[in-house]
Amino acid sequence: MADRLTPLTVFGETAARVDRIGTLSIAERPDLALASLAARLGRLSSLEAVAPLVLGAPLPGVSRVAGDTIRAFWTGPEQWLVEAPYATHEDLAAVLKQGFGADASVTEQSDGWCAFDIAGAATLALLERLCAADTRAMAQGDVLRTTIEHLGCFIICEQPGASFRLWCARSSALSLHHALVTAAVALS
Amino acid sequence: MLIPHPLLGLRDAQEFTYLGDAALIDRPDGLAADAAGRFFDYGYLRDNPAGEHRELWFHEQGDRSWLVVTRNITTHEIVRVELARDVALARGRGR
Amino acid sequence: MSQVNRLSGGRVDRGTTLSFAFDGKLYQGHPGDTLASALLANGVRLMGRSFKYHRPRGPLSAGSEEPNALVELRSGARREPNTRATVAEVFEGLVATSQNRWPSLAVDALSVNDRLSSFLTAGFYYKTFMWPKAFWEKLYEPAIRRAAGLGRLSGEADPDVYDKGFLHCDLLVIGAGPAGLAAALTAGRAGARVIVADEDFLPGGRLNAETITLDDAPARDWVAATVSELASLPNVRLMTRTTVYGAFDHGIFGALERVSDHLAVPKPGTPRQILWRLYAKRSLLCAGATERPIAFENNDRPGIMLAGALRAYANRWAVAAARDVAVFTNNDDGHRTARDLAAAGVHVTAVIDSRTDAPEIAGLPLFRGAVVTGTSGRLGLKSITVRNADGRTQEIACGALGVSGGWNPNLQLTCHHRGRPRWDETIAAFVPDGAPPGLRVAGAAAGIFSTHGALTGGAEGARAALADLGIPATLPDLPRAEDAPFRIAPLWQVKGKGRAWLDQQNDVTVKDVTLAHQENFRSVEHLKRYTTLGMATDQGKTANVPAIAVMAELTGKPIEQVGTTIYRPPYTPVAIGALAGRSRGADFRPRRLTPSHHWAQEQGAVFVEVGNWMRAQWFPRPGESHWRQSVDREVLATRQAVGICDVTTLGKIDVQGTDAAAFLDRLYCNGMAKLAIGRVRYGLMLREDGMVKDDGTVARLTENHFVVTTTTANAIAVFRHMEFCRQCLWPALDVQLISTTDAWAQFSVAGPKSRELLQRVIDPACDISNEAFPYMACGAVTVCGGLRARLFRISFSGELAYEIAVPARYGDGLIRALMAAGQDLGVTPYGTETLGVLRIEKGHPAGNELNGQTTAANLGLGKMVSATKDAIGITLSRREGMNRPDDLRLVGLKPLSPADTIVNGAHLMTGGSPVDAAHDQGWVTSSCHSPHVGGSIGLGFLKRGDRRTGEIIHVVNPLAGTDIRAQVVSPCFIDPEGVRLRG
């Protein structure tokens, strides 16, 4: 039998990348599992009924995030992405499939996306250089999807004005990281 | 332009992809006897009003909803925006 | 003898002295100076040459409307032509060079154009360079190109960076003069999100240039207090050096912030400029007004300036343009200039007022009902000729002349949605009439010229804008300010024999407008294009209205009937670099990396951009000096042993739902409804017009779960199309879509030893024998001790082949594991070139063939189009025109002589027929050197190609002058029975 494979980050490393530029920190989060969840046609109400049991919280509404260890955020009509710690939930898609059964379509997305947590006093100034979204007006637990330097990204407000999580497609994560670091340097 | 998304509020048109006339929702039945003629009209004949126009926009960098945007193409005033799915259902499209 | 013309007072920091160079000569100025103010302080009036006639010119204005004082700023790669000296801030070590002159500013060879001016009138290009025709390309155009243009580009890459940014606000206030500051104060105190943008580096607008008082104190005190209060409000953002250059739809504005233009070099990493996109729920235009000149003979000499500019130089910059100054005006504002100059210690030699009822001006020589009829001074003004009310003329010596023909509201932004301004007789100017939705106008931009009017108009405009948004606001206590009426008696030109300039930058004179009128170019839009009036970099800010007035006089129409040309963005020029932002060079667009990217880099792979993806093109080995050596080796290794290629880039779309099969059956022209679980099928997707859209594979993982692949280039478009079908065409089907392209690292493992290799990494519990896992099977497996993976037995190469997918983070590990496990099997990584050779040898169509102009029948896949179901594109694919008897068919091509090479794009001709479009038989779409065949092969489209196998055809490339003979063969050069892939 072949040896087990070593997982690598988007940077080709085994450890997560963290950059500190001025007061800003930009931290890669490869320790998150991700799965997409979509209601089957006409099954939204039964999906909503089961959700608290599976996720520990009701499904979030439009542009909102809900949950704790397992956390869901709205991505489109009757669609969500679900996050959880990778170490304990590498099988997140299977867990969701088990829990939601025929009420939902579930797809493993852990490696489809890459998350960066950005925090610090200049977070809003950084986002103002990068995307058209009104991040200054975002409340805790708000989420939206927009583009940053041509890249589609989800932006989750963790702490208004101070801390945000960005999710972008894994294959272009280095380009997003480059854009974040370049803009951060320009601000410092 | 800013498109007032029915679920998300005002969103920059740069997040959207434009397709064209919302009449594309009314796809004919390919198995009907007169399918050839109807598909020709569907594919090639468009109204070109100098005023309000119903058009399809895809919120590609957003929630991936197709929208029917009623827009005055001479002033860019947006009169109405609906989820295309709702419009399609209302126009009798189903399975 | 430095700064001979510097007065006392002003807003420059005398505590610091800055050195700068103009045309190689060193001068001194102070922080707060512009290049123009500092040069004037040093007694320099001559700063440029005009565009056409190379007339000596000095600054006309003290602001962004400047037509004349254009210089090349900085040196080397940072040299920027056509920079307005009137807004360029002086910094230590600034280097500026005059332009459009040779050999020097004072002695310019092309000033001969000025003597030839009678030939160089409006339309001279159209009239002069017509005959003989052949001269245009060889003589006229090169000569004109040499003479044309003002400054020179550096020709080097711009070393600076430019950022973009996005801001949102309730109220955008454009301009930080009295109206803008009062508006910002009102809205800021009300708690609204406010942005105030001003093009100047010093907020205050016209208040900085005046001696007027507010509440009996200098206006600057109120400005300072207001700016400091605004700075203390977290909801207000005051942006100086920021020009709002365009009003776009739905409250979106473009603004350019010059972050570092006032520095010698930007701080490392920081941008030189930022292009802001402003989203404003409401906006208030407080952009002030621009003074306009009067046309009279030789009114363009250095030293002849707008009266308000002379006043601004004296009051704000403490500079007298000359020691002896005259003023020529048709309104009361000219008197203010004369008074301020006199108060500043400048000798005012004459105030020439064209109005016979002009008010008295204490202590200064006033010439009522008089006009200036001419000037003298070759490189700078020496004297003016004045014709008095009684007709007598006299010469008056002066080094500067302030001219005021009235003030034009800066209403450009109100016209960016095609609003047309209205003529206001009382101020003899166009005023805004309608504006983009949500935009209000206040202060001088609205034609309210008093300071009191500006302050109250700004405050009330802000309150009204916020009321729209439901935000209550109270008016602040505004300071007492002058509220003098504006009195003017229009005077546009003083008629005379010589040339009187209207547009100084493009050298358009009253004579040119007269000529245009004579030749019937009377519409203001025709006038503009025929004479080039207002088409220079200043967009005619000082020229347009006087020219319109002259045209009105010529046509005998009132000015409002002549109208204005349409103002469009940008208000002032915006550099291409700022529009590009960070999207330059390697950052032009984002790059997508495959999971094996870092590994491939280690292998020394050569990469190619496909879509946004970086893909390995080939993997050179030591000793290989030509790419063909690498590719031939990779091809043969794959055909003889096993090759591995990263195919992660193919679009992967997860399709789930109880109607997923029915949905896919309508998307693909071939049947998908009955695809068995655990099987893969090739799918052909048409556009609704019947042309091929894309191709790929459809794998059924479970009853209600499919994974479809798209070509790399079409992944996004296909997903969009599928969502359109799902939401707009069949909204009651139970189907859910999501892209999963990036989630899986997918490798093609191809070649006779591919199964053997895979068996070494796939866990033994998974049986992938030919019986258990036949051709076109798919399913879940585990690799390397339990890692979840997907296996597809599909082949693009024609060999026994698989695609194996693992979660992307394990992709690097998997390719290393496969390479290690297959060493004894001769495992070889291959890139996109080999991928191409393998598929051409097998006759599989790819992007070259699926070019949006081909039908399934063209590709030889006509039988795939179902005759019994409705799916996208089927109906229109049956059209007669797309099914002609002589339709194109995909064929293989093989040269008769092994030495010959088939090239893409070559045309296929029948032997003996003329080589022209009428006899064209088709063309080559793909070609390569085939190691399997042992020579050049090609794929192409040939008329009736399916019935011409064996025919000898000419492959003609008229570009290279080649004409070779080739045999028409089956497009499938290898294993046409498909034994290998089923083995």
Side-chain angles (χ1 to χ4, degrees):
Chain A
M1 192 174 75
D3 292 341
R4 287 182 181 272
L5 304 180
T6 308
L8 293 185
T9 70
V10 293
F11 295 90
E13 310 283 343
T14 48
R17 174 78 168 255
V18 181
D19 294 271
R20 287 180 214 287
I21 299 156
T23 63
L24 277 166
S25 80
I26 301 167
E28 183 197 8
R29 294 297 304 273
D31 55 332
L32 296 171
L34 193 70
S36 58
L37 175 71
R40 289 272 169 92
L41 188 77
R43 306 294 279 268
L44 180 62
S45 45
S46 67
L47 183 68
E48 283 171 337
V50 180
L53 303 174
V54 183
L55 304 174
L59 277 169
V62 172
S63 299
R64 291 293 296 166
V65 182
D68 187 22
T69 309
I70 300 182
R71 196 168 78 152
F73 59 92
W74 188 91
T75 60
E78 304 188 12
Q79 294 171 62
W80 299 265
L81 279 170
V82 182
E83 304 172 334
Y86 195 86
T88 51
H89 291 75
E90 185 174 346
D91 61 345
L92 179 63
V95 168
L96 298 181
K97 211 168 278 185
Q98 181 81 34
F100 291 118
D103 288 335
S105 291
V106 175
T107 303
E108 175 174 347
Q109 295 285 2
S110 293
D111 289 0
W113 295 80
C114 174
F116 290 100
D117 284 350
I118 54 173
T123 304
L124 287 176
L126 179 79
L127 290 171
E128 278 173 354
R129 293 282 176 90
L130 292 169
C131 73
D134 189 1
T135 49
R136 211 170 275 273
M138 287 177 83
Q140 186 162 358
D142 278 351
V143 61
L144 56 80
R145 188 185 208 168
T146 187
T147 53
I148 293 180
E149 291 287 338
H150 315 289
L151 298 166
C153 293
F154 289 102
I155 302 177
I156 296 173
C157 178
E158 305 288 1
Q159 201 189 327
S163 169
F164 290 81
R165 174 169 294 168
L166 308 182
W167 280 102
C168 80
R170 181 186 175 97
S171 63
S172 39
L174 261 57
S175 285
L176 177 66
H177 179 261
H178 174 66
L180 292 173
V181 168
T182 306
V185 169
L187 288 172
S188 61
Chain B
M1 290 200 302
L2 293 172
I3 294 179
H5 190 297
L7 301 174
L8 304 173
L10 290 173
R11 301 298 291 253
D12 196 305
Q14 291 187 343
E15 293 177 354
F16 293 80
T17 305
Y18 177 79
L19 179 64
D21 196 331
L24 285 168
I25 290 173
D26 302 322
R27 183 180 185 272
D29 176 5
L31 297 177
D34 57 349
R38 293 180 59 187
F39 264 95
F40 180 81
D41 292 354
Y42 172 73
Y44 295 101
L45 297 185
R46 299 273 188 280
D47 289 334
N48 186 19
E52 283 189 15
H53 189 228
R54 282 163 62 79
E55 45 199 32
L56 284 161
W57 292 74
F58 182 47
H59 198 197
E60 187 149 79
Q61 299 297 351
D63 76 340
R64 303 279 163 101
S65 283
W66 277 96
L67 304 180
V68 174
V69 177
T70 307
R71 186 173 67 107
N72 186 317
I73 61 169
T74 61
T75 62
H76 294 187
E77 185 196 358
I78 293 174
V79 184
R80 191 165 55 251
V81 183
E82 302 146 280
L83 291 173
R85 188 170 182 278
D86 294 343
V87 173
L89 287 167
R91 295 183 69 81
R93 299 208 65 87
R95 292 177 60 81
Chain C
M1 167 189 119
S2 88
Q3 306 196 41
V4 288
N5 286 341
R6 188 70 81 175
L7 306 168
S8 60
R11 307 294 301 273
V12 292
D13 171 15
R14 285 185 175 73
T16 309
T17 297
L18 304 169
S19 296
F20 68 97
F22 178 61
D23 276 349
K25 196 168 164 202
L26 284 178
Y27 299 96
Q28 291 184 333
H30 300 294
D33 262 326
T34 64
L35 178 57
S37 72
L39 283 171
L40 288 172
N42 283 279
V44 177
R45 289 175 299 176
L46 176 62
M47 297 187 197
R49 288 272 177 173
S50 71
F51 180 60
K52 195 158 83 175
Y53 300 132
H54 290 247
R55 298 265 293 186
R57 292 284 168 77
L60 176 71
S61 73
S64 64
E65 69 270 34
E66 178 59 30
N68 285 339
L70 307 181
V71 298
E72 290 171 356
L73 201 66
R74 299 184 164 86
S75 58
R78 286 199 167 83
R79 188 176 75 203
E80 189 176 35
N82 306 336
T83 304
R84 289 155 293 169
T86 51
V87 293
E89 295 172 54
V90 168
F91 51 83
E92 178 63 32
L94 176 148
V95 173
T97 315
S98 62
Q99 54 191 34
N100 205 38
R101 85 286 182 277
W102 183 88
S104 74
L105 195 52
V107 183
D108 176 11
L110 269 179
S111 61
V112 66
N113 282 2
D114 197 32
R115 307 222 180 98
L116 301 173
S117 64
S118 52
F119 300 102
L120 297 176
T121 53
F124 83 99
Y125 280 97
Y126 315 120
K127 295 167 182 165
T128 311
F129 300 107
M130 299 299 284
W131 306 278
K133 204 176 161 196
F135 275 31
W136 174 252
E137 217 171 279
K138 293 204 170 68
L139 186 65
Y140 297 147
E141 189 186 349
I144 290 168
R145 285 203 185 281
R146 267 198 301 280
L150 286 166
R152 302 160 301 156
L153 292 167
S154 76
E156 294 174 51
D158 188 339
D160 293 325
V161 294
Y162 300 80
D163 254 345
K164 289 193 184 176
F166 309 83
L167 296 173
H168 299 255
C169 61
D170 295 315
L171 181 67
L172 168 66
V173 180
I174 303 160
L181 289 176
L185 200 59
T186 306
R189 286 180 180 172
R193 292 172 75 182
V194 182
I195 294 173
V196 197
D198 195 291
E199 63 178 357
D200 204 333
F201 54 93
L202 192 64
R206 194 67 211 173
L207 293 177
N208 295 322
E210 305 294 359
T211 52
I212 58 165
T213 56
L214 297 177
D215 276 349
D216 302 322
R220 71 162 74 173
D221 294 355
W222 181 80
V223 172
T226 305
V227 167
S228 131
E229 180 175 346
L230 293 176
S232 74
L233 296 172
N235 52 317
V236 177
R237 184 173 183 138
L238 175 59
M239 304 174 78
T240 53
R241 299 186 175 101
T242 303
T243 305
V244 177
Y245 64 81
F248 303 98
D249 287 312
H250 307 151
I252 299 177
F253 292 82
L256 183 75
E257 182 181 3
R258 292 169 292 277
V259 180
S260 309
D261 279 16
H262 61 294
L263 306 174
V265 173
K267 283 183 278 179
T270 62
R272 185 182 154 200
Q273 299 177 346
I274 301 176
L275 191 81
W276 294 101
R277 191 169 168 88
L278 308 178
Y279 299 82
K281 291 184 182 140
R282 290 293 181 276
S283 50
L284 190 64
L285 181 67
C286 306
T290 298
E291 205 169 10
R292 64 197 182 213
I294 298 168
F296 53 88
E297 195 171 317
N298 290 320
N299 62 337
D300 65 330
R301 297 192 194 281
I304 302 177
M305 299 162 74
L306 293 166
L310 270 188
R311 188 161 92 226
Y313 283 119
N315 291 336
R316 174 172 171 181
W317 285 286
V319 169
R323 285 289 153 190
D324 302 304
V325 173
V327 172
F328 177 27
T329 184
N330 65 356
N331 64 78
D332 286 2
D333 192 66
H335 292 224
R336 186 186 278 178
T337 297
R339 282 195 305 268
D340 280 8
L341 289 172
V346 178
H347 178 223
V348 178
T349 57
V351 179
I352 302 109
D353 193 322
S354 59
R355 299 171 297 173
T356 49
D357 61 347
E360 193 56 46
I361 175 163
L364 296 177
L366 175 67
F367 295 69
R368 280 201 187 88
V371 291
V372 176
T373 57
T375 66
S376 75
R378 198 175 68 82
L379 296 176
L381 184 67
K382 287 191 175 136
S383 70
I384 57 174
T385 308
V386 175
R387 187 176 68 227
N388 288 287
D390 60 11
R392 283 182 303 114
T393 61
Q394 71 188 94
E395 200 163 309
I396 298 173
C398 56
L401 173 68
V403 182
S404 181
W407 290 76
N408 295 323
N410 290 330
L411 48 71
Q412 285 86 346
L413 264 68
T414 69
C415 301
H416 284 183
H417 292 197
R418 295 183 85 91
R420 306 312 285 257
R422 167 176 66 78
W423 183 254
D424 183 341
E425 287 287 350
T426 58
I427 59 169
F430 285 102
V431 292
D433 189 12
L439 179 85
R440 288 179 169 80
V441 193
I448 311 294
F449 288 159
S450 82
T451 311
H452 171 78
L455 291 166
T456 53
E460 278 164 9
R463 185 171 67 171
L466 296 190
D468 286 357
L469 305 175
I471 303 173
T474 48
L475 296 181
D477 284 334
L478 293 169
R480 253 176 306 108
E482 62 82 24
D483 195 17
F486 184 75
R487 285 182 303 222
I488 182 170
L491 172 71
W492 305 105
Q493 59 161 319
V494 178
K495 287 185 180 157
K497 281 189 181 153
R499 283 172 295 160
W501 267 262
L502 289 164
D503 181 334
Q504 298 206 18
Q505 194 175 358
N506 263 358
D507 272 335
V508 180
T509 65
V510 171
K511 279 188 174 173
D512 293 310
V513 175
T514 308
L515 185 68
H517 173 257
Q518 277 168 13
E519 299 187 356
N520 217 23
F521 292 96
R522 295 175 188 192
S523 140
V524 65
E525 297 288 356
H526 288 159
L527 167 68
K528 166 181 163 177
R529 283 155 184 84
Y530 193 57
T531 62
T532 72
L533 175 96
M535 290 168 70
T537 58
D538 66 336
Q539 291 286 289
K541 288 187 179 61
T542 55
N544 286 345
V545 173
I548 288 164
V550 168
M551 182 55 90
E553 285 177 4
L554 290 165
T555 53
K557 282 193 212 164
I559 289 177
E560 60 267 35
Q561 280 182 29
V562 176
T564 60
T565 54
I566 296 167
Y567 299 111
R568 297 186 179 86
Y571 174 68
T572 49
V574 177
I576 297 287
L579 295 169
R582 299 271 177 183
S583 302
R584 283 165 56 185
D587 294 341
F588 179 65
R589 54 185 173 196
R591 295 192 318 172
R592 301 178 76 179
L593 304 184
T594 64
S596 66
H597 187 81
H598 297 106
W599 173 84
Q601 272 183 319
E602 284 172 29
Q603 308 307 307
V606 173
F607 290 92
V608 60
E609 232 178 299
V610 184
N612 288 349
W613 289 97
M614 299 301 292
R615 297 190 74 177
Q617 198 172 8
W618 66 84
F619 293 83
R621 282 206 182 151
E624 291 172 350
S625 56
H626 190 275
W627 66 270
R628 263 282 307 284
Q629 293 172 298
S630 310
V631 172
D632 287 359
R633 171 182 51 72
E634 292 171 13
V635 170
L636 290 170
T638 304
R639 295 239 180 266
Q640 288 158 11
V642 56
I644 304 178
C645 181
D646 192 326
V647 293
T648 303
T649 62
L650 293 177
K652 301 186 244 348
I653 299 167
D654 215 48
V655 184
Q656 297 193 48
T658 52
D659 293 320
F663 178 73
L664 292 173
D665 201 46
R666 295 178 196 181
L667 277 178
Y668 291 93
C669 68
N670 53 319
M672 288 296 167
K674 292 176 185 147
L675 178 62
I677 294 168
R679 304 292 290 178
V680 189
R681 188 173 288 172
Y682 176 73
L684 197 62
M685 211 179 256
L686 304 183
R687 299 194 309 231
E688 198 67 273
D689 67 0
M691 296 293 176
V692 174
K693 181 183 185 73
D694 198 53
D695 71 346
T697 58
V698 178
R700 190 169 202 168
L701 302 181
T702 66
E703 174 69 19
N704 297 326
H705 187 184
F706 294 76
V707 174
V708 307
T709 66
T710 72
T711 58
T712 299
N714 281 337
I716 290 167
V718 168
F719 186 85
R720 186 187 303 149
H721 171 65
M722 289 172 72
E723 280 289 4
F724 170 76
C725 294
R726 186 180 82 96
Q727 296 177 34
C728 301
L729 299 185
W730 303 297
L733 287 181
D734 176 30
V735 56
Q736 293 81 40
L737 307 171
I738 194 135
S739 167
T740 180
T741 303
D742 288 26
W744 297 89
Q746 193 151 324
F747 298 98
S748 167
V749 182
K753 295 181 182 168
S754 56
R755 184 184 299 123
E756 196 181 345
L757 173 58
L758 283 172
Q759 279 166 336
R760 297 181 185 181
V761 296
I762 291 176
D763 294 335
C766 309
D767 183 0
I768 60 164
S769 67
N770 200 29
E771 298 68 40
F773 205 84
Y775 178 56
M776 297 306 252
C778 69
V781 294
T782 59
V783 300
C784 301
L787 178 65
R788 61 200 178 282
R790 287 171 173 174
L791 188 65
F792 307 86
R793 189 166 162 192
I794 50 180
S795 176
F796 199 42
S797 58
E799 300 298 327
L800 167 68
Y802 300 81
E803 287 186 12
I804 184 163
V806 291
R809 72 183 66 198
Y810 294 101
D812 180 273
L814 181 62
I815 194 148
R816 290 179 200 273
L818 287 166
M819 290 304 296
Q823 216 166 13
D824 60 315
L825 302 176
V827 65
T828 300
Y830 66 89
T832 55
E833 283 300 323
T834 292
L835 192 75
V837 172
L838 294 170
R839 73 98 189 162
I840 293 170
E841 288 182 338
K842 187 63 185 171
H844 281 311
N848 292 14
E849 288 76 31
L850 307 175
N851 67 355
Q853 298 177 315
T854 46
T855 65
N858 292 152
L859 296 166
L861 303 174
K863 285 184 187 144
M864 283 183 72
V865 183
S866 168
T868 56
K869 69 167 185 179
D870 180 21
I872 301 285
I874 288 186
T875 303
L876 290 181
S877 78
R878 299 195 188 112
R879 282 179 289 171
E880 195 183 343
M882 288 157 68
N883 295 280
R884 291 187 308 266
D886 67 341
D887 243 6
L888 298 166
R889 288 290 181 272
L890 190 69
V891 297
L893 298 161
K894 207 169 149 181
L896 286 190
S897 159
D900 284 340
T901 304
I902 292 173
V903 294
N904 286 10
H907 275 254
L908 306 177
M909 312 295 309
T910 312
S913 81
V915 179
D916 58 21
H919 295 84
D920 190 35
Q921 298 294 300
W923 65 93
V924 179
T925 55
S926 298
S927 59
C928 67
H929 172 82
S930 164
H932 173 75
V933 173
S936 173
I937 59 169
L939 297 177
F941 288 118
L942 177 66
K943 285 182 177 175
R944 296 180 291 106
D946 50 338
R947 282 164 279 162
R948 294 169 76 169
T949 305
E951 186 178 320
I952 307 299
I953 198 129
H954 284 251
V955 181
V956 184
N957 177 12
L959 288 177
T962 59
D963 180 346
I964 65 163
R965 291 191 305 155
Q967 188 170 32
V968 178
V969 296
S970 156
C972 186
F973 291 87
I974 189 160
D975 186 26
E977 294 78 30
V979 175
R980 295 185 184 209
L981 42 81
R982 289 183 176 79

